[in-house]
């Protein structure tokens, strides 16, 4: 309810914000990508008549689905119209973009917005199809510092797995198979002293995160990709 009443604040580089004022890049990761997951988890209970606590009035009330939908649309708009192209920003914003699209109740509206994640760029947001162009060959990695690059492949693998589970006809794991391939490349770059090549403000070490590997395995199974299984 609070977010639905907030106004978008302009930041630098068109980095608009809500709760995190003037900074959608941070706000979408801290809040925007998580709200639709919570909504999805609670949705069956809310639809069955479950009441929620209203902080302002100190009582239990029916959930305001209209305000929720308005909030999802706001975060979708923020992702489409904030940030800049040519860096990992679009991918960092994409869990909020896709999550809020999938939280839209109307199938027609979801179908209208889904291309903005899959293959339709905006002036400030790159689609999955454009991101995938950086992975021309097996073994390619995202062309930024190493920790930035790992965030790109981790998040993109996760979102592709989510979509292949919901829309099996997309077969994103087959279409963009070079993206999850990059997960193994990073660990093969490790030096004998356990550090990694890095520059700029990138971290000097990486940690094996089984969540992303499990997502890649799930996607490989969904697509019957024997090479990646």
């Amino acid at each position: 309810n609070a977010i639905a009443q907030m106004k978008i604040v302009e930041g630098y580089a068109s980095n608009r914000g809500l709760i995190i004022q003037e900074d959608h890049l941070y706000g979408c990761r801290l809040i925007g990508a998580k709200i639709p997951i919570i909504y999805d988890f609670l949705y069956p209970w809310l639809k069955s008549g479950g009441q929620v606590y209203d902080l302002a009035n100190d009582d239990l009330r029916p959930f305001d689905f209209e305000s929720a939908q308005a909030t999802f649309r706001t975060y979708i708009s923020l992702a489409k119209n904030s940030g800049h192209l040519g860096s990992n920003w679009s991918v960092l914003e994409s869990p909020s973009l896709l999550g809020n699209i999938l939280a839209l109740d109307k199938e027609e509206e979801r179908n209208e917005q889904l291309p903005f994640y899959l293959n339709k760029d905006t002036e400030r947001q790159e689609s999955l199809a454009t991101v995938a162009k950086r992975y021309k060959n097996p073994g390619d990695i995202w062309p930024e510092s190493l920790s930035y690059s790992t965030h790109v492949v981790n998040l993109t693998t996760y979102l592709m797995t989510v979509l292949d589970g919901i829309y099996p006809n997309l077969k994103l794991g087959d279409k963009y198979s070079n993206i999850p391939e990059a997960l193994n490349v990073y660990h093969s770059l490790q030096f004998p002293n356990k550090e990694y090549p890095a520059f700029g403000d990138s971290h000097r070490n990486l940690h094996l995160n089984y969540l992303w590997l499990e997502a890649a395995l799930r996607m490989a199974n969904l697509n019957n990709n024997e090479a990646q299984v």
Side-chain angles (χ1 to χ4, degrees):
N1 287 341
I3 296 174
Q5 299 174 54
M6 290 180 177
K7 294 183 179 180
I8 295 173
V9 179
E10 294 287 344
Y12 69 94
S14 295
N15 192 11
R16 302 162 177 85
L18 274 175
I19 294 180
I20 309 299
Q21 300 232 327
E22 304 180 13
D23 194 347
H24 175 257
L25 182 65
Y26 181 40
C28 71
R29 289 176 286 169
L30 187 68
I31 300 166
K34 298 175 182 178
I35 290 177
I37 295 176
I38 297 170
Y39 178 74
D40 182 66
F41 180 74
L42 294 175
Y43 184 81
W45 177 75
L46 294 172
K47 291 297 288 186
S48 70
Q51 292 189 316
V52 296
Y53 177 66
D54 188 303
L55 180 63
N57 295 285
D58 190 26
D59 61 10
L60 292 175
R61 299 189 173 199
F63 183 74
D64 188 343
F65 287 95
E66 185 176 339
S67 290
Q69 293 295 300
T71 298
F72 302 148
R73 294 186 188 103
T74 297
Y75 273 110
I76 292 168
S77 178
L78 282 168
K80 289 161 59 176
N81 299 294
S82 301
H84 58 79
L85 309 182
S87 72
N88 67 340
W89 275 39
S90 290
V91 176
L92 294 178
E93 293 176 294
S94 61
S96 180
L97 172 62
L98 181 59
N100 283 284
I101 289 173
L102 295 177
L104 296 172
D105 285 342
K106 295 181 180 179
E107 182 178 6
E108 180 181 357
E109 192 175 5
R110 292 196 302 272
N111 292 339
E112 179 182 330
Q113 294 294 336
L114 193 56
F116 286 101
Y117 175 73
L118 290 173
N119 51 39
K120 191 173 182 179
D121 297 344
T122 71
E123 292 183 356
R124 299 197 176 276
Q125 178 71 14
E126 292 181 344
S127 66
L128 172 61
T130 298
V131 168
K133 291 178 181 178
R134 274 84 162 190
Y135 299 87
K136 294 181 180 179
N137 306 297
D140 285 351
I141 62 175
W142 184 261
E144 284 191 87
S145 56
L146 207 58
S147 62
Y148 287 27
S149 185
T150 55
H151 286 149
V152 170
V153 71
N154 291 346
L155 292 174
T156 305
T157 297
Y158 158 64
L159 296 179
M160 289 167 57
T161 304
V162 168
L163 283 176
D164 273 349
I166 299 173
Y167 305 104
N169 60 307
L170 290 177
K171 297 191 177 299
L172 300 178
D174 279 344
K175 189 173 184 179
Y176 305 121
S177 60
N178 287 342
I179 295 179
E181 285 283 350
L183 288 167
N184 291 323
V185 175
Y186 296 112
H187 301 288
S188 69
L189 295 174
Q190 189 178 48
F191 294 129
N193 66 355
K194 306 301 182 182
E195 291 190 351
Y196 288 84
F199 58 88
D201 62 352
S202 180
H203 298 298
R204 266 51 181 174
N205 53 67
L206 299 175
H207 301 285
L208 187 62
N209 191 320
Y210 290 99
L211 172 64
W212 314 118
L213 295 175
E214 289 176 359
L217 178 60
R218 169 65 175 161
M219 183 164 56
N221 283 319
L222 287 170
N223 288 276
N224 296 315
N225 188 332
E226 295 184 6
Q228 292 188 346
V229 170

